[in-house]
Amino acid sequence: MTSSEDFREFGKAMIDYVADYLDGIRDRPVLPQVTPGYLRSLVPDEAPEKGEDWRTVMKDVDRVIMPGVTHWHHPQFHAYFPTANSYPAIVADILSGSIACIGFSWIASPACTELEMVTMDWLGTALNLPKEFLFSGPGNGGGVIQGTASEATLVAILSARAERLKREEAKGKMDRLVAYCSAQAHSSVERAGMLAGIQMRLVEPDENFSLRGDALNAAIEEDKEKGLIPFCVIATLGTTNSCSFDNLPELGRVCLEQDVWLHVDAAYAGSSFICPEFRPLLDGVEFAESFNFNPHKWMLVNFDCSAMWIKDSRKIVDAFNVDPLYLQHRHQGEIPDYRHWHIPLGRRFRSLKIWFVMRIYGLEGLRKHIREQVELANQFAEIVQTDPRFELPTPPRMGLVCFRVKASNVVNEKLNKKINEAARIHITPAKIRDKYILRFAVCSRFTVSTDIEFAWTEILRNLDLISINQDTE
Ligand SMILES: *Cc1c(COP(=O)(O)O)cnc(C)c1O
């Protein structure tokens, strides 16, 4: 029942299932039509006493699981931001699951540490990050795979906090530490501040939703007057609401002058920097102490894979260093022990999926993916602009188009609700400065030009079902 012979059959059957699933995903409804609690009635109350045949279990995937799946890789899925899915990454995860090592130190699986170092240098080079961030660079820089951008931000704040609390002026004054981010930053940034037990000040961005140097500097000066200790700034490249970019060169200079740690969160947009035409948006990263983006969003490396670099890795390692005897080894100090670089001890062999994806697509293939998705978003934005009933509250950016009906928030809320109830396409809304907007993100690698046309037809069909005039405020 659990022999390698069975595994060969079971595994091959699953590969076929996965290939069929993705080949046929277009024919499924993008959103499930189930209600909360649907699953419990489909399965027994308790786990089986006797093991079952894998074929029986496989049958239940269609009966129990699939009806309750939101198909993120459906060509008509345009909600949130993309999450990656590619065959090389899926296959790499099989290998990772088979080696099933816990790579907390070098000796715990040398390949796990060393491939991560190499692939993080490959990625950093592909993004044209300053050499100071790379293992092969001149200093103590290097990259680490975190589970999520949320963790990367938290690790950056905790490292900055530890560094600052060591200094004379901040010793014992944790309650006076303040970090800064744009009011448009992702909620995980505010949350990281809470988790770290420091004050997070949200600073208003300019009219283009870009946080500027003057506003940041004014906030920092005001807080210093009050006796607070500014220690960290989190800049966003590609906000979740509208994919706007903070002014990194301006923020960088302020951070340099004010002597505070600059962390850059480019969770979604970061993947685009492998294309030379988008790389200027990363200018100013040379001022940063740490930088992060999610290959698991837009670079075809399946979740979870959040790439983080730090210029001086000693600042992470020193911040959380504990060294019990049972984790020590004789090569300690010669090569990173990644257990010091993040919050958990255990870590999966995640670099395999970066390695497979980068080799099998090549940088050329990855750039092509980014460019095609940007082009599809532009196609959508152009169609929206041909209809005078609609407006683009912010310019299209990367694979994201924000749009709305020129009417009240209520009308736009209704339209959003209708569209998602019909479930032929899936979008999610956002609110920017009290304006309710609809977000259209190009997400699936299966989305093609005709899907964009289909989405637009579907949006108009639903608009016809509600009355615009009824609720204009
Ligand atoms: C998606 C996103 C996050 C959160 O990403 P996780 O990896 O899920 O933590 C953070 N910041 C920005 C700008 C994002 O777009």
Side-chain angles (χ1 to χ4, degrees), residues 81 147-151 186 188 236-240 265-268 294 296-297 303 306:
F81 270 143
T148 60
S150 310
E151 288 161 81
H186 191 268
S188 60
T236 309
L237 299 181
T239 59
T240 315
D265 172 13
Y268 164 66
N294 286 353
H296 74 227
K297 272 190 171 154
F303 191 84
S306 187

Coordinates of all heavy atoms in Angstrom, one line a residue, residues 81 147-151 186 188 236-240 265-268 294 296-297 303 306, ligand 1:
F81 N -3.0 39.8 -6.6 CA -1.8 39.8 -7.5 C -1.6 38.3 -7.9 O -2.1 37.4 -7.3 CB -0.6 40.3 -6.7 CG -0.3 41.8 -6.8 CD1 0.1 42.5 -5.7 CD2 -0.6 42.5 -8.0 CE1 0.4 43.8 -5.8 CE2 -0.4 43.9 -8.1 CZ 0.1 44.5 -6.9
G147 N 9.9 32.7 3.7 CA 8.6 32.2 3.2 C 7.7 33.2 2.5 O 7.2 32.9 1.5
T148 N 7.7 34.4 3.1 CA 6.8 35.4 2.5 C 7.4 36.8 2.7 O 8.4 37.0 3.5 CB 5.5 35.5 3.3 OG1 5.7 35.7 4.7 CG2 4.7 34.2 3.2
A149 N 6.9 37.8 2.0 CA 7.4 39.2 2.1 C 7.1 39.7 3.6 O 7.8 40.4 4.1 CB 6.7 40.0 1.1
S150 N 6.0 39.2 4.1 CA 5.7 39.6 5.5 C 6.8 39.2 6.5 O 7.2 40.0 7.3 CB 4.4 38.9 6.0 OG 3.3 39.0 5.1
E151 N 7.3 38.0 6.3 CA 8.4 37.6 7.2 C 9.7 38.4 6.9 O 10.4 38.8 7.8 CB 8.7 36.1 7.0 CG 7.7 35.2 7.5 CD 7.8 33.8 6.9 OE1 8.7 33.0 7.3 OE2 7.1 33.5 5.9
H186 N 1.6 47.8 2.3 CA 0.9 46.6 2.5 C 0.6 46.5 4.0 O 1.4 46.8 4.8 CB 1.7 45.4 2.0 CG 0.9 44.1 2.0 ND1 0.8 43.2 3.0 CD2 0.1 43.6 1.0 CE1 0.1 42.2 2.7 NE2 -0.4 42.4 1.5
S188 N 0.8 44.1 5.8 CA 1.8 43.3 6.5 C 2.9 44.1 7.1 O 3.6 43.7 8.1 CB 2.4 42.2 5.6 OG 3.1 42.9 4.5
T236 N 8.0 51.0 -0.4 CA 7.3 50.0 -1.3 C 7.5 50.3 -2.8 O 7.3 51.4 -3.2 CB 5.8 50.0 -1.0 OG1 5.6 49.9 0.4 CG2 5.1 48.9 -1.7
L237 N 7.9 49.3 -3.5 CA 7.9 49.4 -5.0 C 6.8 48.5 -5.5 O 6.9 47.3 -5.5 CB 9.3 49.0 -5.5 CG 10.5 49.8 -5.0 CD1 11.8 49.3 -5.6 CD2 10.3 51.3 -5.3
G238 N 5.7 49.2 -5.9 CA 4.6 48.4 -6.4 C 3.6 48.1 -5.3 O 3.6 47.0 -4.8
T239 N 2.8 49.1 -4.9 CA 1.9 48.9 -3.8 C 0.7 47.9 -4.2 O 0.4 47.8 -5.4 CB 1.2 50.2 -3.4 OG1 0.5 50.8 -4.5 CG2 2.2 51.2 -2.9
T240 N 0.1 47.3 -3.2 CA -0.9 46.4 -3.5 C -2.2 47.0 -4.1 O -2.8 46.4 -5.0 CB -1.2 45.6 -2.2 OG1 0.0 45.2 -1.6 CG2 -2.0 44.3 -2.5
D265 N 10.4 46.8 0.0 CA 9.4 45.8 -0.2 C 8.9 45.9 -1.7 O 8.2 46.8 -2.0 CB 8.2 45.9 0.7 CG 7.1 44.9 0.4 OD1 7.3 44.0 -0.4 OD2 6.0 45.1 1.0
A266 N 9.4 45.0 -2.5 CA 8.9 45.0 -3.9 C 8.3 43.7 -4.3 O 8.5 43.1 -5.3 CB 10.1 45.3 -4.9
A267 N 7.4 43.2 -3.3 CA 6.9 41.9 -3.4 C 6.4 41.5 -4.8 O 6.9 40.4 -5.3 CB 5.8 41.7 -2.4
Y268 N 5.6 42.3 -5.4 CA 5.0 41.9 -6.7 C 5.9 42.4 -7.8 O 6.4 41.7 -8.7 CB 3.6 42.5 -6.8 CG 3.1 42.5 -8.3 CD1 2.9 41.4 -9.0 CD2 2.9 43.8 -8.9 CE1 2.4 41.4 -10.3 CE2 2.4 43.8 -10.2 CZ 2.2 42.7 -10.9 OH 1.7 42.7 -12.2
N294 N 9.1 38.8 -4.2 CA 8.5 37.5 -4.2 C 8.6 36.8 -5.6 O 7.7 37.0 -6.4 CB 7.0 37.5 -3.8 CG 6.8 37.8 -2.3 OD1 7.8 37.8 -1.5 ND2 5.6 37.9 -1.9
H296 N 7.6 34.1 -5.9 CA 6.4 33.3 -5.9 C 5.2 34.1 -6.4 O 4.1 33.6 -6.5 CB 6.2 32.6 -4.6 CG 5.7 33.5 -3.4 ND1 6.3 33.4 -2.2 CD2 4.7 34.4 -3.3 CE1 5.7 34.3 -1.4 NE2 4.7 34.9 -2.0
K297 N 5.4 35.4 -6.6 CA 4.2 36.1 -7.2 C 4.3 36.1 -8.7 O 3.4 35.6 -9.4 CB 4.2 37.6 -6.7 CG 3.4 37.7 -5.4 CD 3.2 39.1 -4.9 CE 2.2 39.1 -3.8 NZ 2.4 40.3 -2.9
F303 N 4.7 29.3 -4.8 CA 4.7 29.6 -3.4 C 5.3 28.4 -2.6 O 5.0 27.2 -3.0 CB 3.2 29.8 -2.9 CG 3.1 30.4 -1.6 CD1 3.2 31.8 -1.4 CD2 2.9 29.6 -0.5 CE1 3.1 32.3 -0.1 CE2 2.8 30.1 0.8 CZ 2.9 31.5 1.0
S306 N 10.2 33.8 -1.2 CA 10.3 35.3 -1.1 C 11.8 35.5 -0.9 O 12.5 35.1 0.0 CB 9.5 35.8 0.1 OG 9.6 37.2 0.2
Ligands
LIG1 C1 1.7 40.6 -1.7 C2 2.4 41.7 -1.0 C3 2.9 41.5 0.3 C4 2.6 40.2 1.1 O1 3.2 39.1 0.6 P1 3.4 37.8 1.4 O2 4.6 37.1 0.7 O3 2.1 37.0 1.2 O4 3.7 38.1 2.8 C5 3.6 42.5 0.9 N1 3.9 43.6 0.2 C6 3.4 43.9 -1.0 C7 3.7 45.2 -1.7 C8 2.7 42.9 -1.7 O5 2.2 43.1 -2.9

